[in-house]
Amino acid sequence: AKKFLEEHISKVKDVKEAEKELAKNNLILASWCGEASCEEEFKVNTGAKSLNSPLKQVAMKGEKCFACGGKAKYLFYFGKSY
């Protein structure tokens, strides 16, 4: 199960990449600003929502939010719930 999960998580840099991976039923890992309005817009457009964050966060120096392009604060997993 762990191997299957790891094989179905894709790191993405923008919404276009996210949509491509979500269409394959993968989870995505993305740099995110943490703003509720940003998540809501992404959710409305893709049907995916934030799930959780990795326990170990990396420094977000210069990283941009994959969805809105704002300053990223966290790495976060997103996916669709069925």
Side-chain angles (χ1 to χ4, degrees):
K2 183 178 178 181
K3 181 181 177 189
F4 180 85
L5 177 64
E6 290 171 351
E7 290 173 349
H8 289 85
I9 297 174
S10 299
K11 177 104 166 86
V12 300
K13 294 183 180 181
D14 57 41
V15 172
K16 187 175 181 177
E17 286 181 9
E19 290 172 338
K20 181 179 173 184
E21 293 303 320
L22 290 167
K24 297 185 222 174
N25 294 323
N26 288 337
L27 297 176
I28 61 169
L29 178 62
S31 300
W32 180 44
C33 64
E35 297 296 325
S37 58
C38 179
E39 177 187 10
E40 186 61 29
E41 184 175 339
F42 182 68
K43 184 177 180 180
V44 167
N45 293 331
T46 65
K49 64 180 183 174
S50 64
L51 300 174
N52 64 348
S53 62
L55 292 175
K56 293 183 180 180
Q57 288 285 320
V58 296
M60 299 267 76
K61 294 179 183 176
E63 292 285 326
K64 299 219 182 268
C65 176
F66 81 105
C68 71
K71 183 178 178 184
K73 297 179 184 175
Y74 316 100
L75 270 180
F76 235 84
Y77 292 104
F78 289 81
K80 291 184 179 181
S81 298
Y82 298 95

